[in-house]
């Protein structure tokens, strides 16, 4: 049994016993104004955009997208779309814009925490939604911005029992694999806008 | 592709034939180093994070058995199937068995140095399973039948014109097209088809969170997530060293990983997989493959603190100017020597290092790379398996340098020779050292001689001191 063999081998380890460090004190406390301004700056460095105007601006935007014939999947209450989740995740390949709620946003790096619970509609759920769409529109509550990853993990805390998938998303997908030239739009969304509500 | 068995120096000589290419390669990596410096410099708590990162990893390694068991127990609670593999061969057998059970014909893989280490692709292909690497850089080198030359930017050795040529040949892009954006778009379309038609997905693991029974996978392209979230079957391969105790520990490492790799504040996607999708299956393969053996040596064991950011490669003067294919192992650069030197049949890779220590200073988890590399040299010496004939002449050099009389006489002769003989005559005797260097101008006397003449009082004192204290 390889498990036992590996565990037995580890008993002969020469690594000296080191105590777990205290992690609670690290990190910064920021005011709401600072949180929002840092979030905007850092979201821009990861090629995303903080859109002003909140939920009303988002609704107007998706209305105009649908009027242009775009396929809009909305998983945010109160924001209408023209596409529903179906049993097949593959079928979402035609989504032009996905509107998805995030649980929190991280000021230091522009990342938004999206969980499985937000990626569902009625009986249907699709972890693929924020990745397969051409463009991603995220919505986060203004009071759910944290300064850094330590605070983010503090909020997420011990994960809820039902959570099987969660993701920090910082900007649209990107690559620099060809001669270090940054190209936005690799395999995931090609653009990302964040609306604060 | 099989690597030729040759020493680092020999392989580097081939890479160095094209000097402008060497400069281009070195500069591309230095740009990454500069971005890293700016990102690290923007966090006042950077050094504190490094210290914490190092302690977290050391703590975890010193309790690794316990944490692995906790991790497995928590995974099982979440319905994740956990497998243990002693070595690469067992890892590959386990993967094949799972894929066969699901009649998988096409597997999409996201970047994993572990599966490179296990040589999974040729193994699965040999059993009739099509394996598609989906990271753009990985796909490029897969189409080009090459292994990665860097652990984060695997196709760093290729110019855009060469990628354009390759894509024209393999993906049908227009001849002469070399614009990175257009080439990336072509790869996106090509790989989108692969994602949509794959039967299973496999990813590597950046961190395995023991307290949650979850794995964290970081990518910029979204290829891991496009892979894992479409087919019913998902597999994740991890080395035993990927464990972190909890989410707070993961936060510390996530803050440093991308900053130290490419200067980004975080990768685009940091995904936490903690169970299968509805109706799906999730498997984790935990691999040892020599790691527990390394931990029996407390210096080598520290190499397992590594989080694979690639920062040490980007800063290494030897890697930048000799390329990833000059090392006789899967992972090149300083961390490659630290974890992979045993793979190198020529035993030469620990000498692909100037011991400048730059790698250790940029490492986010304070892996003492230069110390480990030096230790690797010592281990070869102790086992009597030094490379380049060092085993025969180094003992003589040792005896020469240990004898005050021999050393003084020898150095006096060298000074005289440098002063009176033409350098054209002496240079061939300087060997590889003199290949790209001029011989020095000989000083008039030895330092000791100078000291005796000018500051005799210091000489007496220091001799006494050293005798007294040692």
């Amino acid at each position: 049994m390889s498990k036992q063999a590996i565990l037995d081998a580890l008993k002969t380890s020469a690594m000296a016993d080191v105590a777990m460090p205290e992690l609670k004190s690290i990190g910064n406390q920021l005011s709401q104004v600072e949180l929002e301004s840092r979030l905007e700056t850092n979201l821009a460095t990861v090629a995303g955009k903080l859109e002003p105007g909140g939920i009303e601006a988002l609704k107007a935007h998706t209305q105009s997208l649908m009027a242009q014939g775009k396929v809009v999947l909305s998983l945010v209450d109160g924001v209408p779309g023209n596409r529903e989740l179906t049993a097949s995740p593959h079928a979402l390949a035609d989504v032009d814009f996905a509107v998805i709620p995030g649980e929190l946003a991280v000021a230091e790096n522009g990342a938004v925490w999206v969980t499985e619970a937000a990626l569902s509609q009625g009986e249907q759920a699709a972890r693929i939604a924020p990745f397969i769409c051409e463009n991603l529109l995220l919505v986060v509550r203004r009071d759910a911005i944290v300064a850094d990853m330590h605070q983010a993990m503090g909020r997420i805390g011990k994960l809820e029992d039902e959570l099987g998938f969660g993701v920090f998303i910082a900007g649209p997908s990107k690559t620099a694999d060809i001669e270090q030239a940054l190209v936005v739009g690799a395999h995931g969304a090609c653009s990302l806008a964040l609306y604060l509500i | 592709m099989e690597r030729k068995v040759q020493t680092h120096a020999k392989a580097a000589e081939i890479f160095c034939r094209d000097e402008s290419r060497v400069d281009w390669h070195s500069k591309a990596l230095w740009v990454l180093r500069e971005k890293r410096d700016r990102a690290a410099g923007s966090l006042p708590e950077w050094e504190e994070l490094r210290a914490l990162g190092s302690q977290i990893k050391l703590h975890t390694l010193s309790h690794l058995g316990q944490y692995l068991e906790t991790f497995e127990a928590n995974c099982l609670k979440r319905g994740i199937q956990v497998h243990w593999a002693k070595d690469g061969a067992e890892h590959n057998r386990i993967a094949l068995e799972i894929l066969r059970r699901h009649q998988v014909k096409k597997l999409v893989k996201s970047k994993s140095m572990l599966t490179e280490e296990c040589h999974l692709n040729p193994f699965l292909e040999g059993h009739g399973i099509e394996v598609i690497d989906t990271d753009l850089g990985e796909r490029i080198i897969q189409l080009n039948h090459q292994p990665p030359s860097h652990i984060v930017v695997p196709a760093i050795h290729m110019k855009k014109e060469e990628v354009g040529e390759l894509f024209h040949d393999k993906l049908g892009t227009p001849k002469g097209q070399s614009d990175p954006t257009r080439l990336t778009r072509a790869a996106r379309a090509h790989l989108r088809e692969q994602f949509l038609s794959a039967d299973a997905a496999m990813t590597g693991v950046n961190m395995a969170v023991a307290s949650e029974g979850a794995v964290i996978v970081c990518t910029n392209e979204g290829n891991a997530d496009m892979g894992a979230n479409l087919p019913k079957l998902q597999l994740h391969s991890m080395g035993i060293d990927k464990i972190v105790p909890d989410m707070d520990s993961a936060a510390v490492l996530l803050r440093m990983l991308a900053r130290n790799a490419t200067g980004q504040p975080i990768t685009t996607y940091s995904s936490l997989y903690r169970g299968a999708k509805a109706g799906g299956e999730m498997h984790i393969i935990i691999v040892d493959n020599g790691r527990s053996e390394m931990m029996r040596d407390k210096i080598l064991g520290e190499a397992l603190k590594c989080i694979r950011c690639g920062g040490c490669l980007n800063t290494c003067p030897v890697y930048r100017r000799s390329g990833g294919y000059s090392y006789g192992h899967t992972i090149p650069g300083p961390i490659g020597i630290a974890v992979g030197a045993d793979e190198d049949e020529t035993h030469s890779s620990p000498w692909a290092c100037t011991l400048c220590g730059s790698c250790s200073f940029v490492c986010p988890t304070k892996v003492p790379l230069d110390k480990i590399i030096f230790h690797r040299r010592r281990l070869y010496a102790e086992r009597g398996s030094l490379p380049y004939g060092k085993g025969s002449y180094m003992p003589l050099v040792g005896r020469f340098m240990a004898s005050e009389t021999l050393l003084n006489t020898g150095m006096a002769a060298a000074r005289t020779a440098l002063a009176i003989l033409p350098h054209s005559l002496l240079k061939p005797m300087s060997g590889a050292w003199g290949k790209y260097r001029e011989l020095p101008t000989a000083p008039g006397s030895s330092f000791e001689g100078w000291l005796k003449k000018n500051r005799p009082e210091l000489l007496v004192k220091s001799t006494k001191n050293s005798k007294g204290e040692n």
Side-chain angles (χ1 to χ4, degrees):
Chain A
M1 182 73 180
S2 293
K3 174 184 172 181
Q4 204 48 52
I6 293 169
L7 294 177
D8 287 346
L10 286 172
K11 286 187 187 128
T12 64
S13 158
M15 306 302 287
D17 197 344
V18 171
M20 181 67 185
E22 174 58 53
L23 300 178
K24 295 295 172 198
S25 60
I26 192 165
N28 310 295
Q29 296 300 326
L30 299 174
S31 70
Q32 185 65 26
V33 177
E34 282 173 313
L35 285 172
E36 287 185 30
S37 95
R38 286 199 194 189
L39 177 63
E40 183 168 13
T41 308
N42 290 321
L43 187 57
T45 67
V46 295
K49 191 166 187 287
L50 187 68
E51 289 288 353
I55 197 90
E56 290 310 318
L58 173 60
K59 275 200 262 188
H61 184 44
T62 52
Q63 286 298 349
S64 101
L65 289 169
M66 288 188 286
Q68 293 164 44
K70 300 288 184 197
V71 177
V72 177
L73 169 76
S74 175
L75 302 177
V76 172
D77 289 338
V79 178
N82 57 10
R83 179 73 160 76
E84 301 281 299
L85 282 187
T86 55
S88 158
H90 297 75
L92 294 176
D94 67 344
V95 172
D96 295 312
F97 287 81
V99 187
I100 290 173
E103 265 183 33
L104 53 88
V106 188
E108 72 159 326
N109 54 26
V112 173
W113 174 245
V114 174
T115 64
E116 192 161 35
L119 300 173
S120 62
Q121 204 173 43
E123 292 296 292
Q124 304 294 349
R127 293 180 181 180
I128 194 70
F131 309 104
I132 202 168
C133 57
E134 283 292 309
N135 303 280
L136 185 56
L137 305 172
L138 291 171
V139 179
V140 172
R141 286 168 57 101
R142 210 170 272 279
D143 60 7
I145 307 172
V146 297
D148 54 37
M149 292 300 285
H150 310 294
Q151 288 181 16
M153 294 306 190
R155 285 270 192 113
I156 295 166
K158 192 79 185 149
L159 294 173
E160 295 159 26
D161 260 355
E162 62 269 29
L163 184 104
F165 176 70
V167 56
F168 284 99
I169 302 177
S173 78
K174 51 187 97 62
T175 182
D177 272 352
I178 301 176
E179 274 205 18
Q180 295 297 293
L182 177 69
V183 179
V184 173
H187 301 303
C190 294
S191 80
L192 180 146
L194 173 63
Y195 292 81
L196 296 177
I197 56 170
Chain B
M1 198 181 74
E2 285 300 307
R3 288 168 195 273
K4 255 194 261 164
V5 179
Q6 53 188 357
T7 62
H8 178 275
K10 190 79 204 149
E13 207 177 296
I14 297 164
F15 182 79
C16 288
R17 276 182 203 149
D18 185 348
E19 208 172 315
S20 67
R21 196 182 184 95
V22 175
D23 289 342
W24 167 83
H25 185 264
S26 176
K27 207 176 140 198
L29 289 152
W30 191 250
V31 169
L32 285 175
R33 164 69 208 265
E34 287 175 325
K35 288 183 184 165
R36 173 261 172 211
D37 286 353
R38 282 195 291 275
S42 72
L43 291 188
E45 66 270 37
W46 182 257
E47 287 305 317
E48 191 185 351
L49 285 172
R50 288 181 72 216
L52 288 173
S54 173
Q55 275 180 63
I56 290 167
K57 289 299 264 186
L58 281 176
H59 164 75
T60 315
L61 289 171
S62 64
H63 299 80
L64 193 53
Q66 264 166 267
Y67 277 120
L68 281 166
E69 289 195 272
T70 308
F71 174 70
E72 184 194 36
N74 286 327
C75 285
L76 295 175
K77 270 189 229 161
R78 315 276 324 154
I80 300 167
Q81 301 183 42
V82 181
H83 314 264
W84 301 70
K86 279 197 298 291
D87 53 25
E90 189 175 11
H91 165 267
N92 295 352
R93 279 200 305 277
I94 292 167
L96 177 65
E97 199 268 317
I98 299 167
L99 296 172
R100 276 202 172 144
R101 213 186 316 139
H102 291 262
Q103 286 106 41
V104 171
K105 292 190 184 61
K106 184 188 282 186
L107 173 73
V108 284
K109 235 180 81 211
S110 82
K111 202 154 76 61
S112 143
M113 289 308 295
L114 176 61
T115 57
E116 288 288 337
E117 174 187 320
C118 298
H119 307 291
L120 177 71
N121 289 16
F123 175 80
L124 291 180
E125 283 157 3
H127 287 86
I129 293 172
E130 188 185 1
V131 184
I132 309 283
D133 276 317
T134 56
D135 170 79
L136 175 58
E138 286 272 313
R139 186 63 181 152
I140 291 170
I141 55 165
Q142 189 184 32
L143 291 172
N144 209 28
H145 305 293
Q146 284 182 310
S149 77
H150 186 289
I151 62 174
V152 172
V153 280
I156 187 89
H157 60 288
M158 284 182 78
K159 298 202 174 186
K160 58 180 192 266
E161 292 78 14
E162 293 164 334
V163 177
E165 197 54 40
L166 179 72
F167 278 18
H168 170 67
D169 194 29
K170 308 277 183 179
L171 307 181
T173 54
K175 178 122 187 108
Q177 187 173 87
S178 65
D179 174 56
T181 304
R182 284 165 189 265
L183 293 174
T184 302
R185 289 286 177 268
R188 175 182 168 95
H190 157 70
L191 285 161
R192 187 58 68 118
E193 283 171 34
Q194 309 299 325
F195 287 125
L196 289 169
S197 59
D199 307 301
M202 184 173 215
T203 82
V205 168
N206 290 90
M207 290 153 216
V209 189
S211 65
E212 309 301 329
V215 294
I216 296 177
V217 183
C218 303
T219 75
N220 277 321
E221 299 183 6
N223 53 316
D225 306 291
M226 279 299 289
N229 292 317
L230 283 168
K232 291 202 181 310
L233 179 61
Q234 67 189 90
L235 291 82
H236 307 270
S237 296
M238 56 173 272
I240 54 174
D241 51 325
K242 292 294 164 187
I243 294 271
V244 295
D246 51 28
M247 296 294 279
D248 289 329
S249 312
V252 172
L253 301 180
L254 282 171
R255 292 191 76 195
M256 294 191 288
L257 178 61
R259 285 188 171 98
N260 217 62
T262 58
Q264 296 167 257
I266 191 166
T267 49
T268 303
Y269 305 103
S270 308
S271 307
L272 181 123
Y273 290 94
R274 191 170 171 248
K277 59 185 86 64
E281 257 182 47
M282 176 169 165
H283 296 258
I284 294 175
I285 311 176
I286 301 173
V287 187
D288 182 343
N289 203 29
R291 288 164 176 77
S292 60
E293 179 61 32
M294 280 180 69
M295 287 171 61
R296 296 177 66 178
D297 179 319
K298 61 180 191 293
I299 299 177
L300 294 184
E302 284 213 49
L304 299 177
K305 293 196 291 181
C306 173
I307 56 172
R308 299 292 190 271
C309 68
C312 60
L313 279 67
N314 304 339
T315 199
C316 176
V318 179
Y319 172 81
R320 284 191 283 119
R321 302 198 70 83
S322 62
Y325 298 143
S326 297
Y327 299 77
H329 28 75
T330 315
I331 299 181
I335 187 61
I337 305 171
V339 300
D342 287 338
E343 280 178 58
D344 171 25
E345 292 171 46
T346 70
H347 298 177
S348 66
S349 74
W351 280 268
C353 171
T354 64
L355 298 178
C356 74
S358 178
C359 47
S360 303
F361 282 102
V362 300
C363 178
T365 51
K366 296 193 171 192
V367 175
L369 287 152
D370 56 326
K371 186 171 147 194
I372 296 171
I373 294 168
F374 183 72
H375 184 60
R376 288 262 184 210
R377 295 185 186 179
R378 175 181 291 258
L379 291 176
Y380 282 134
E382 283 171 3
R383 289 178 207 150
S385 55
L386 288 166
Y388 308 118
K390 278 185 201 289
S392 51
Y393 70 79
M394 273 302 177
L396 298 177
V397 174
R399 232 171 294 155
F400 172 75
M401 296 186 80
S403 152
E404 207 174 320
T405 327
L406 274 178
L407 188 65
N408 283 340
T409 325
M411 292 315 284
R415 277 193 302 279
T416 313
L418 274 171
I420 64 171
L421 292 176
H423 282 191
S424 57
L425 202 68
L426 288 172
K427 217 164 168 199
M429 298 169 73
S430 65
W433 186 91
K435 212 164 163 187
Y436 301 102
R437 297 176 178 92
E438 292 308 318
L439 295 176
T441 319
S445 73
S446 70
F447 175 69
E448 198 186 4
W450 179 91
L451 205 63
K452 249 181 211 160
K453 193 171 154 212
N454 295 291
R455 309 285 295 274
E457 72 284 3
L458 285 176
L459 192 71
V460 174
K461 227 186 269 172
S462 77
T463 314
K464 262 188 196 158
N465 251 347
S466 71
K467 273 183 191 154
E469 280 171 16
N470 290 335

